[in-house]
């Protein structure tokens, strides 16, 4: 009798399958408060064909599969929701397959990280730029795109799912499919239209509809002139109103606002960080760019005018050239705006990290921030909000991050705090993203039931044996 | 060793001044100073107490030797060298109380502030 482990070993080799206690422990949890659950096995394929064989075997054996890219999710998204799951760790699939200079896209595998892309483009295609997520440099680019996450280009272009030109996936029934213009062959991943847009069958599904093995993602020309600023502001409504003006004027390539406590963490202040009366409430990092210095100078001039105008209401609002920030803090400060993922290591001060994040209508942004702040303060956690204007101000993002010590009392309290934040968000018709299961279930209670039923039907159609990440998204 | 204040301006000033005090000659001189300076910014005041070193505290000491008023924006302009302490003083962007009674304290503090902000 051949064991399940041996069957997987025949597909990927004995070195790439483990049922060891250490591996099962590591893959059973993340830094969040979401409850852990151990998988029975971890398998690490290196090709789409191996993934296909894994999925076919899982169908034969009725074994649940949980796709896993690089494990940087903060939302319990790779924690199995059922017993005896097999984690399909895609880290070995880490090739940048192609960069098309003329079409400005790259084709990559799921184990490729933001750090890989940055290095590769800098060395091989210096006129093109990609982006970075607000997470560690080890984060999978494909995972962030599939989860509709944000990045430093989201202020202008929206969620990363919108950057996808097409993809290749292994369906839950084992077929390898392509969507997007790549259906006409390689070297043709220029876009998603005019076709039925089936990229949406994979984005936002948290791995329930297949395992993506390849993705084409847009790149952008690197503009030769760039300047960075820090903007200190006061009050939730005044801050969001000012950001709306700046982004609607199409001045900023990127705008990321942080509670001032995060700014204080960045400059090296030790935890726990208190919000002190009189300090600014928010620090926003702004990136402006231009094809010419003249274009950039003009954008800077308009930005200064907008900020100066805001001083009629709040004289202490202050726009600070990043050169001053670097002189005050050290040259390391450029790391916050150039590739800031690594600077967010402060968030892992303790062994617990969680957040409740949403995309929200601009009209409700300030209120969400104002009321969310009260909730976090009530629970006594550090005030660590992160907000980003999205897609030229068509919508907005806000999240409250909590770093915490993982003891029983904190796990309970953090969950309560996130629950209250989610209730507030849903009251304001915000859509939570990268949702853990408990959060998705709350969304289901308020959402149009026909939408939830449609999601369920599509999932059942694609995955008749229910093997792909069962229980995920509360389904 | 300086205290690490919990507030932004106090922390920033402590870091900047600490960098200057890496010069052992200056550190030795500063250790001999005995004065209390309130740096009153538009955000909030910070008190620097010089007494065998420097301590920082949020708030304004009532017994300050000197009170130096300037906005955080002026601090940034000094850092960017868009102005100097003299120019800012002459333009009224920096105001000082106690400078005539304690000219040496004023000279010492302005010298240290200038060096700290210019790195």
């Amino acid at each position: 009798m051949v064991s399940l482990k041996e069957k997987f070993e025949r597909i990927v080799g004995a070195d790439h399958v483990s049922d060891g206690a250490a591996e099962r422990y590591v893959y059973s949890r993340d830094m969040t408060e979401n409850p852990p659950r151990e998988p029975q096995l971890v398998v690490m394929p290196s090709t789409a064909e191996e993934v296909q064989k894994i999925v076919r075997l899982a169908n034969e054996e009725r074994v649940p599969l949980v796709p896993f890219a690089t494990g940087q999710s903060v939302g319990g998204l790779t924690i199995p929701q059922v017993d005896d799951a097999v984690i399909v760790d895609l880290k070995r699939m880490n090739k940048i397959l192609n960069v098309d200079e003329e079409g400005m896209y790259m084709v990559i595998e799921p184990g490729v990280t933001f750090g890989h892309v940055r290095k590769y483009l800098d060395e091989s295609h210096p006129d093109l730029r990609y982006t970075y997520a607000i997470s560690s440099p080890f984060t999978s680019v494909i995972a962030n795109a599939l989860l509709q996450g944000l990045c430093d280009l989201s202020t202008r272009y929206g969620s990363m799912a919108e950057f996808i030109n097409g993809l290749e996936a292994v369906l839950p029934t084992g077929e390898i499919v392509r969507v997007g213009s790549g259906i006409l062959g390689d070297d043709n991943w220029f876009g998603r239209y005019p076709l039925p847009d089936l990229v949406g069958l994979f984005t936002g599904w948290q791995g329930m509809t297949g395992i993506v093995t390849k993705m084409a993602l847009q790149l952008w020309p690197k503009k030769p002139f760039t300047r960075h600023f820090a903007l200190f502001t006061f009050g939730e409504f005044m801050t969001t109103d000012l950001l709306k003006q700046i982004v609607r004027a199409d001045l900023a390539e990127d705008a990321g606002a942080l509670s001032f406590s995060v700014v204080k963490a960045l400059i090296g202040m030790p935890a726990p960080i208190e919000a002190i009366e009189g300090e600014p409430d928010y620090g926003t990092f702004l990136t402006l760019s231009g094809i010419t210095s003249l274009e950039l100078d003009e954008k800077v001039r308009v930005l200064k005018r907008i900020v100066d105008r805001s001083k009629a209401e709040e004289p202490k609002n202050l726009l600070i050239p990043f050169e001053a920030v670097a002189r005050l803090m050290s040259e390391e400060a450029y790391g916050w705006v150039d590739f800031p993922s690594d600077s967010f290591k402060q968030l892992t001060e303790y062994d617990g990290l969680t957040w409740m994040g949403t995309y929200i209508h601009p009209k409700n942004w300030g209120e969400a921030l104002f009321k969310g702040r009260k909730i976090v303060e009530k629970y006594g956690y550090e005030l660590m909000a992160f907000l980003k204007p999205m897609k030229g101000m068509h919508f907005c993002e806000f999240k409250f991050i909590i770093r915490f010590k993982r003891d029983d009392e904190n796990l309970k309290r953090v969950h309560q705090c996130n629950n209250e934040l989610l209730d507030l968000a849903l009251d304001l018709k915000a859509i939570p993203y990268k949702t853990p299961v408990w959060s998705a279930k709350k969304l289901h209670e308020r959402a149009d039931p026909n939408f939830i039923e449609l999601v369920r039907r599509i999932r059942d159609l694609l995955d008749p044996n229910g093997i792909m990440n069962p229980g995920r998204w509360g389904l | 060793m300086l205290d690490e204040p919990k507030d932004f301006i106090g922390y920033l000033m402590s870091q900047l001044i600490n960098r200057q005090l890496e010069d052992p000659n200056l550190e030795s001189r500063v250790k001999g100073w005995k004065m209390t300076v309130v740096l009153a910014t538009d955000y909030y005041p910070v008190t620097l107490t010089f007494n065998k070193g420097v301590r920082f505290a949020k708030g304004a000491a009532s017994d300050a030797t000197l009170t130096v008023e300037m906005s955080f924006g002026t601090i940034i302009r000094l850092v960017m060298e868009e102005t100097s302490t003299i120019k800012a003083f002459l333009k009224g962007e920096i105001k000082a109380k106690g400078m005539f009674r304690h000219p040496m304290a004023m000279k010492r503090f302005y010298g240290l502030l200038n060096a700290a902000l210019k790195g």
Side-chain angles (χ1 to χ4, degrees):
Chain A
M1 175 84 175
V2 181
S3 71
L4 186 65
K5 186 182 175 201
E6 287 167 325
K7 288 179 182 175
F8 280 116
E9 284 174 350
R10 285 177 186 173
I11 298 172
V12 297
D15 286 348
H16 305 298
V17 180
S18 176
D19 59 357
E23 282 81 3
R24 284 189 288 117
Y25 178 86
V26 168
Y27 285 89
S28 71
R29 62 196 61 226
D30 61 15
M31 290 186 78
T32 65
E33 77 282 14
N34 292 289
R37 188 192 301 258
E38 289 197 355
Q40 63 164 317
L41 283 173
V42 180
V43 297
M44 297 183 77
S46 62
T47 64
E49 289 69 30
E50 286 182 359
V51 173
Q52 185 177 41
K53 287 177 186 168
I54 288 167
V55 171
R56 284 182 173 156
L57 176 60
N59 272 287
E60 285 164 25
E61 302 280 344
R62 297 292 194 270
V63 173
L65 299 177
V66 177
F68 180 107
T70 59
Q72 299 298 313
S73 121
V74 181
L77 300 183
T78 56
I79 298 174
Q81 295 303 303
V82 294
D83 289 336
D84 297 324
V86 171
I87 300 273
V88 184
D89 183 334
L90 302 161
K91 232 183 255 109
R92 292 175 68 215
M93 298 178 70
N94 61 358
K95 289 191 278 301
I96 296 172
L97 299 168
N98 180 33
V99 171
D100 187 312
E101 288 257 4
E102 190 166 4
M104 290 189 291
Y105 65 80
M106 63 180 174
V107 184
I108 59 171
E109 293 186 330
V112 171
T113 67
F114 287 94
H116 288 144
V117 172
R118 165 70 184 264
K119 182 172 187 292
Y120 184 76
L121 290 181
D122 280 355
E123 288 173 0
S124 307
H125 302 275
D127 294 333
L128 291 174
R129 62 161 292 189
Y130 193 56
T131 179
Y132 41 77
I134 314 304
S135 63
S136 100
F138 321 116
T139 303
S140 160
V141 176
I142 284 187
N144 201 43
L146 287 174
L147 293 167
Q148 302 160 332
L150 53 79
C151 61
D152 71 315
L153 290 171
S154 293
T155 296
R156 182 154 283 165
Y157 301 112
S159 128
M160 272 190 60
E162 306 202 31
F163 306 175
I164 302 173
N165 278 359
L167 56 84
E168 175 192 272
V170 177
L171 294 180
T173 40
E175 301 86 350
I176 298 181
V177 298
R178 285 182 175 198
V179 298
S181 57
I183 57 171
L184 290 183
D186 288 335
D187 305 327
N188 196 52
W189 291 100
F190 64 83
R192 288 153 65 164
Y193 317 122
L195 286 168
D197 185 9
L198 299 187
V199 167
L201 279 181
F202 302 94
T203 55
W205 287 82
Q206 300 187 355
M208 292 183 291
T209 51
I211 297 180
V212 174
T213 49
K214 188 186 287 181
M215 184 181 281
L217 285 148
Q218 292 165 6
L219 301 167
W220 285 269
K222 200 181 276 175
K223 292 192 179 172
F225 297 92
T226 301
R227 278 192 73 186
H228 303 287
F229 291 87
L231 174 64
F232 288 177
T233 53
F234 294 79
E236 284 68 27
F237 292 99
M238 280 193 289
T239 296
T240 50
D241 284 348
L242 185 53
L243 287 178
K244 286 177 192 177
Q245 289 175 50
I246 291 168
V247 175
R248 285 182 70 125
D250 199 18
L251 298 173
E253 188 166 283
D254 183 30
L258 310 162
S259 290
F260 209 68
S261 299
V262 184
V263 176
K264 287 165 70 174
L266 283 174
I267 67 172
M269 293 185 71
I273 292 179
E274 297 164 30
I276 305 279
E277 196 183 338
E279 288 176 344
D281 293 308
Y282 295 92
T284 300
F285 295 145
L286 293 161
T287 302
L288 277 65
S289 61
I291 295 294
T292 63
S293 60
L294 199 64
E295 181 193 354
L296 178 57
D297 290 347
E298 184 59 15
K299 283 181 179 174
V300 171
R301 194 184 66 78
V302 177
L303 173 65
K304 284 179 177 169
R305 201 176 62 198
I306 291 174
V307 175
D308 281 345
R309 227 167 33 209
S310 79
K311 291 184 178 184
E313 199 175 358
E314 176 48 81
K316 291 180 288 184
N317 284 347
L318 188 62
L319 186 68
I320 304 172
F322 225 76
E323 295 81 357
V325 178
R327 283 188 201 180
L328 285 170
M329 320 291 179
S330 88
E331 291 289 315
E332 267 182 39
Y334 282 111
W336 308 341
V337 285
D338 183 38
F339 193 69
S341 305
D342 199 35
S343 64
F344 279 76
K345 59 181 177 281
Q346 284 84 358
L347 296 179
T348 51
E349 173 75 21
Y350 306 117
D351 52 350
L353 177 68
T354 187
W355 51 270
M356 206 293 297
T358 74
Y359 293 154
I360 189 168
H361 191 297
K363 70 182 175 189
N364 295 326
W365 200 24
E367 186 178 351
L369 204 56
F370 179 76
K371 290 182 173 171
R373 176 181 181 152
K374 301 282 175 217
I375 291 170
V376 175
E377 284 173 343
K378 184 177 83 180
Y379 281 90
Y381 289 114
E382 297 164 302
L383 202 54
M384 292 198 153
F386 180 92
L387 39 154
K388 188 175 277 293
M390 301 284 287
K391 207 176 180 181
M393 213 57 248
H394 282 93
F395 65 104
C396 315
E397 180 265 359
F398 81 90
K399 67 164 77 78
F400 283 94
I401 299 167
I402 302 173
R403 50 182 190 174
F404 63 99
K405 290 179 185 160
R406 287 182 74 91
D407 53 48
D408 288 346
E409 195 242 312
N410 252 327
L411 286 169
K412 199 170 147 190
R413 202 153 55 98
V414 157
H415 187 60
Q416 282 172 350
C417 181
N418 273 345
N419 245 298
E420 273 194 50
L421 286 169
L422 180 61
D423 285 339
L424 164 70
L426 292 171
D427 286 347
L428 294 169
K429 297 180 183 169
I431 309 286
Y433 74 102
K434 297 187 180 177
T435 48
V437 172
W438 66 268
S439 168
K441 283 180 176 169
K442 280 204 163 192
L443 174 65
H444 295 189
E445 288 166 13
R446 306 225 196 171
D448 174 0
N450 288 338
F451 171 74
I452 304 298
E453 181 53 29
L454 177 61
V455 170
R456 202 182 292 277
R457 273 198 221 171
I458 292 169
R459 195 273 316 259
D460 292 347
L461 185 71
L462 289 173
D463 184 14
N465 293 326
I467 60 145
M468 280 305 305
N469 220 349
R472 181 54 55 195
W473 212 64
L475 295 179
Chain B
M1 185 64 190
L2 297 169
D3 289 342
E4 289 210 328
K6 291 275 184 190
D7 70 286
F8 175 70
I9 293 175
Y11 182 83
L12 199 59
M13 294 309 297
S14 75
Q15 296 295 306
L16 295 172
I17 289 175
N18 207 12
R19 269 190 233 161
Q20 295 304 310
L21 297 186
E22 285 170 10
D23 172 356
N25 291 331
L26 182 62
E27 188 192 22
S28 161
R29 287 207 308 274
V30 169
K31 274 188 176 166
W33 297 356
K34 198 163 184 183
M35 61 186 190
T36 303
V37 180
V38 171
L39 181 61
T41 72
D42 51 343
Y43 289 176
Y44 56 86
V46 175
T47 299
L48 290 75
T49 307
F50 294 84
N51 187 2
K52 297 175 187 165
V54 198
R55 279 183 294 111
F56 296 81
K58 183 177 181 269
S62 55
D63 60 345
T65 319
L66 288 175
T67 298
V68 178
E69 279 180 42
M70 71 173 92
S71 68
F72 193 67
T74 300
I75 293 177
I76 296 300
R77 293 183 60 231
L78 288 168
V79 169
M80 292 294 288
E81 299 185 40
E82 291 171 0
T83 189
S84 66
T85 45
I86 303 280
K87 278 186 199 164
F89 186 78
L90 292 173
K91 281 185 170 177
E93 292 166 348
I94 298 178
K95 291 175 186 155
K97 284 182 205 157
M99 61 183 284
F100 294 114
R101 285 180 61 199
H102 304 284
M104 184 53 77
M106 187 70 186
K107 183 174 176 291
R108 285 171 170 167
F109 181 69
Y110 269 31
L112 184 62
L113 184 70
N114 247 331
L117 294 182
K118 286 179 182 169

